[in-house]
Amino acid sequence: MTILDGKKISNDIKNEIAEEVTKMKERGEKVPHLAAIIVGNDGASLTYVNSKVKSCKQVGFESSLYRLPSTVSELELLDKIEELNQNDDIDGFIVQLPLPKQIDTQKVLLAVDPDKDVDGFHPTNFGKMAFDMTSFIPATPFGILELLERYDIPTKGKHTVVIGRSYIVGRPMSILMGRSGFPGNSTVTLTHEFTKNITQITSQADIIIIAVGIPDFLKGEMIKDDAVIIDVGITRVPDEDSPRGYIIKGDVDFENVSKRASYITPVPGGVGPMTVSMLLKNTLLARERHRALKKEHQS
């Protein structure tokens, strides 16, 4: 059994991006600039956004963080998004989810300029992805593809079962694993909370990608020997013995599933670190695209 080390691969990607940024500086080019909008004081969101800011510094990007109170109106948030859309200095930005109840998340995601949507959530980017056109792939699915590629895990003709159908992970993953090319060319089954006889399906899977947010959902007896397991789940589970008062658990019963799997991602340290790196990669792509467009207009 091989551990898919997202921490290591994530650092490799950051080093590659840092080298690219150094070359940009040597050529006298503007370095990529990633911005983030965060609404309110959600602990997990703050941690995640701070790790993005720290990662930007690490690779030589510029970064900006806009903190808005949880009482902000939808209109005020939309105004801030429009301001970032119009700011040529910013190559890409994200609006950290979840948002407070008074704000329509879909309206907010639609307001982001698709050319700056480095989270890959805008329907324009999602549609382009489905058509195999150049687009921003959502960071978590992008990270999973990168893990499969860098560990050279065969996907062609394999049966991939995706558990969970969110537009952030499950749905894009089902499209990406079925597209032509590598990683891809696999036969995909998309399952969710209403799927009957799920064990019957998972026990036939060569690759399982799970993102349901239910700790230990995937048990050892639900998989076949040598299956590849990608665990996207991350849940804080109360634990009195832990100094923090909780432990982080994935959607996979790691102890028992790892005995049968050929490859498996740990939680934490698997898919999580990849998400931030791929966000940086999308920002680098955005910078390169904006530069190419500027050149085109000038000629």
Side-chain angles (χ1 to χ4, degrees):
M1 187 271 298
T2 303
I3 294 279
L4 296 170
D5 190 344
K7 222 170 179 179
K8 182 202 174 292
I9 301 294
S10 167
N11 284 329
D12 291 347
I13 292 164
K14 283 179 187 169
N15 291 336
E16 289 160 18
I17 293 171
E19 278 176 34
E20 203 54 51
V21 172
T22 303
K23 286 176 193 167
M24 286 172 137
K25 284 178 181 169
E26 284 167 1
R27 293 194 295 262
E29 291 170 14
K30 175 189 165 316
V31 300
H33 186 162
L34 173 67
I37 299 174
I38 184 163
V39 180
N41 289 308
D42 179 73
S45 292
L46 282 167
T47 305
Y48 189 43
V49 167
N50 286 334
S51 78
K52 288 169 183 173
V53 171
K54 198 173 143 195
S55 296
C56 282
K57 202 173 177 183
Q58 212 179 324
V59 298
F61 282 12
E62 285 181 36
S63 70
S64 302
L65 179 57
Y66 300 91
R67 292 185 66 166
L68 303 175
S70 55
T71 51
V72 73
S73 73
E74 187 173 274
L75 197 61
E76 285 170 311
L77 177 56
L78 292 171
D79 282 347
K80 176 54 77 178
I81 288 169
E82 190 47 33
E83 190 189 303
L84 300 191
N85 283 340
Q86 299 301 327
N87 186 341
D88 286 342
D89 188 50
I90 290 171
D91 296 296
F93 69 95
I94 62 146
V95 182
Q96 184 63 38
L97 304 178
L99 293 167
K101 287 182 176 65
Q102 75 271 20
I103 294 165
D104 181 340
T105 300
Q106 285 189 322
K107 204 184 268 188
V108 165
L109 295 178
L110 277 167
V112 176
D113 178 348
D115 287 336
K116 293 189 175 190
D117 166 42
V118 286
D119 252 341
F121 293 161
H122 194 285
T124 298
N125 282 320
F126 202 97
K128 282 182 170 179
M129 178 192 72
F131 273 102
D132 253 352
M133 295 162 74
T134 303
S135 71
F136 294 118
I137 296 171
T140 301
F142 198 5
I144 293 168
L145 292 180
E146 200 74 18
L147 273 178
L148 292 169
E149 193 174 327
R150 294 197 182 218
Y151 276 90
D152 204 19
I153 293 168
T155 58
K156 188 179 178 182
K158 300 293 182 185
H159 182 196
T160 297
V161 170
V162 179
I163 308 174
R165 54 178 172 180
S166 73
Y167 64 85
I168 295 172
V169 181
R171 268 184 268 182
M173 221 52 245
S174 66
I175 293 166
L176 293 163
M177 290 303 287
R179 67 180 183 169
S180 58
F182 173 68
N185 279 323
S186 69
T187 303
V188 183
T189 303
L190 180 61
T191 66
H192 46 80
E193 60 193 299
F194 299 115
T195 303
K196 290 178 180 172
N197 306 326
I198 194 159
T199 300
Q200 213 176 322
I201 298 165
T202 56
S203 60
Q204 294 170 13
D206 301 303
I207 301 166
I208 296 173
I209 300 164
I210 179 166
V212 288
I214 303 168
D216 293 342
F217 178 88
L218 191 74
K219 308 285 185 202
E221 61 271 18
M222 292 171 73
I223 74 158
K224 70 176 186 181
D225 288 341
D226 294 332
V228 175
I229 310 294
I230 310 284
D231 186 355
V232 189
I234 184 155
T235 306
R236 289 182 179 190
V237 178
D239 186 321
E240 288 171 9
D241 298 330
S242 166
R244 292 178 180 172
Y246 67 86
I247 52 169
I248 298 286
K249 287 211 112 174
D251 291 349
V252 173
D253 173 4
F254 186 88
E255 197 182 325
N256 293 305
V257 171
S258 61
K259 289 171 187 165
R260 301 187 69 182
S262 56
Y263 293 89
I264 189 167
T265 57
V267 175
V271 174
M274 296 298 295
T275 301
V276 177
S277 295
M278 302 324 279
L279 187 71
L280 297 176
K281 196 159 186 177
N282 272 343
T283 307
L284 180 65
L285 292 170
R287 174 84 236 44
E288 286 167 354
R289 276 186 217 164
H290 295 153
R291 193 172 59 86
L293 274 172
K294 204 174 176 186
K295 226 178 182 180
E296 224 174 84
H297 288 148
Q298 284 169 349
S299 60

